[in-house]
Amino acid sequence: MKLKLVVPGLAWLDAEDGAEVAAKVPVPALSTLLGRGRLVSAPRSLSVMAAGLFGQPGLSLAVHEARRDGLLPDPDSHWLVADPVTLRVDRDRALLADVGVMALSQEEADALVASLNRHFAEDGLRFHAPGPGRWYVELPGPTKALFVPLPDAVGEDVNRHLPGGSEGLVWSRFLNELQMLLYTHPVNDAREARGEVPVNSVWLWGEGQLPEVPALSDAVLADDRLWQSLAEIGGTFHAAAPYAFEGLAEAATAAERPLVVVDTLQGPAQYRDAWGWREALADVERRWFVPVLAAMKDGIVKQLELSAHGPSGFTLEVKASDLLKFWKRPRPLSVLY
């Protein structure tokens, strides 16, 4: 088996204190793998890492996602994903949290989208909410703007990820209008009265659609919709990620080149929770790195490709034969910073 293991958040996302945070939890199996393999620094976004693992130029997923949600857009039509989000003011910045932190009902989504459609009808924008957690906007033509994919913006200051391109300012103004409308919406008034977070913005991204390219893996095991969608576009078998390495054989059946996404670290890293991140890292060490290292020593895993994103992101390639190079000392995760 040649295993691709993707661990979003494995490289602590704040480069300034990454070494200090990473040094406080022992990960001997991961350190052995880092020391024996070929390590390439790859500071990049989660979207770039994900797209690259599937041979794609980016995450232009809007048309595919809309079709997956039953909207059946014309192949030549123009769409954006318009994910409902909440913005939380923190001193001089506004942090983004996605619908994952909300308990949003379909009735609430329908009411919010109906208001957006009335407000933006003259601009030719039509919003859709096939599910409470995934919205779309149908456009009369290309946006001529550049949008940051949601996975790159969650937990970040939104002011660093505003629309760019020749029409970026136009779309920034649209977003300001939209946020003012949602801020005073009765649905959000009721949510806040119940102590729930408001849907005070949407996150636009994913314009266009991706080409079908030859699959680089023969099975994708991931819980996140992003990875499942990329697998579907490539015609690759996909299923939920196993809890630990021991469940890989059953989940991937006879796959020889599986790609597994372990997202245990993603949330704690995004929200800068150092304690939670260290606890999650120790858990990933027990469930994945220790048994993977043992499987490589036993010849079950012939090659490991480990990928992590962020300012100290990296790609690591380790062959089973590399473990015989006993003179190569383990490398702690903290040396990456």
Side-chain angles (χ1 to χ4, degrees), residues 89-94 157 159:
V89 176
D90 179 28
R91 297 183 182 178
D92 59 347
R93 59 183 182 172
D157 180 0
N159 294 316

Side-chain angles (χ1 to χ4, degrees), residues 171-256:
W171 283 93
S172 291
R173 287 196 292 270
F174 275 135
L175 284 172
N176 285 335
E177 286 184 47
L178 181 150
Q179 288 164 7
M180 292 177 64
L181 175 65
L182 293 179
Y183 181 74
T184 59
H185 199 283
V187 166
N188 279 324
D189 290 341
R191 289 181 62 83
E192 292 187 285
R194 298 194 301 268
E196 298 177 359
V197 295
V199 181
N200 54 22
S201 189
V202 302
W203 196 256
L204 303 174
W205 65 286
E207 185 175 13
Q209 54 185 321
L210 294 176
E212 293 184 10
V213 298
L216 302 180
S217 300
D218 54 3
V220 174
L221 305 178
D223 297 326
D224 191 277
R225 176 173 175 141
L226 165 65
W227 304 93
Q228 296 172 1
S229 294
L230 288 168
E232 287 180 357
I233 291 169
T236 305
F237 167 81
H238 67 85
Y243 175 74
F245 176 78
E246 285 77 7
L248 179 57
E250 179 179 352
T253 59
E256 296 182 359

Side-chain angles (χ1 to χ4, degrees), residues 67-298:
R67 186 176 296 115
R68 186 177 178 186
D69 278 330
L71 294 177
L72 302 177
D74 185 281
D76 297 323
S77 60
H78 299 275
W79 291 68
L80 286 168
V81 180
D83 282 320
V85 297
T86 187
L87 303 180
R88 177 173 61 84
V89 176
D90 179 28
R91 297 183 182 178
D92 59 347
R93 59 183 182 172
L95 300 180
L96 175 71
D98 67 4
V99 74
V101 303
M102 308 177 199
L104 187 65
S105 69
Q106 186 65 52
E107 183 180 5
E108 290 173 316
D110 290 341
L112 292 168
V113 162
S115 295
L116 293 176
N117 281 331
R118 286 192 295 270
H119 185 84
F120 290 104
E122 293 184 1
D123 299 300
L125 305 182
R126 185 182 177 194
F127 289 81
H128 303 263
R134 178 54 63 94
W135 303 356
Y136 303 89
V137 59
E138 188 176 359
L139 314 166
T143 66
K144 299 180 182 179
L146 301 174
F147 299 96
V148 175
L150 179 66
D152 296 343
V154 173
E156 296 285 327
D157 180 0
V158 296
N159 294 316
R160 297 171 49 196
H161 301 295
L162 296 176
S166 62
E167 296 295 310
L169 290 177
V170 172
W171 283 93
S172 291
R173 287 196 292 270
F174 275 135
L175 284 172
N176 285 335
E177 286 184 47
L178 181 150
Q179 288 164 7
M180 292 177 64
L181 175 65
L182 293 179
Y183 181 74
T184 59
H185 199 283
V187 166
N188 279 324
D189 290 341
R191 289 181 62 83
E192 292 187 285
R194 298 194 301 268
E196 298 177 359
V197 295
V199 181
N200 54 22
S201 189
V202 302
W203 196 256
L204 303 174
W205 65 286
E207 185 175 13
Q209 54 185 321
L210 294 176
E212 293 184 10
V213 298
L216 302 180
S217 300
D218 54 3
V220 174
L221 305 178
D223 297 326
D224 191 277
R225 176 173 175 141
L226 165 65
W227 304 93
Q228 296 172 1
S229 294
L230 288 168
E232 287 180 357
I233 291 169
T236 305
F237 167 81
H238 67 85
Y243 175 74
F245 176 78
E246 285 77 7
L248 179 57
E250 179 179 352
T253 59
E256 296 182 359
R257 296 176 291 112
L259 185 154
V260 182
V261 182
V262 181
D263 60 7
T264 306
L265 285 155
Q266 191 171 357
Q270 285 172 330
Y271 292 98
R272 307 298 192 265
D273 175 8
W275 176 263
W277 182 83
R278 289 195 293 263
E279 289 289 300
L281 177 58
D283 187 45
V284 174
E285 166 83 358
R286 289 190 297 269
R287 290 192 283 117
W288 287 96
F289 298 134
V290 170
V292 165
L293 179 59
M296 295 187 75
K297 291 178 178 178
D298 292 340

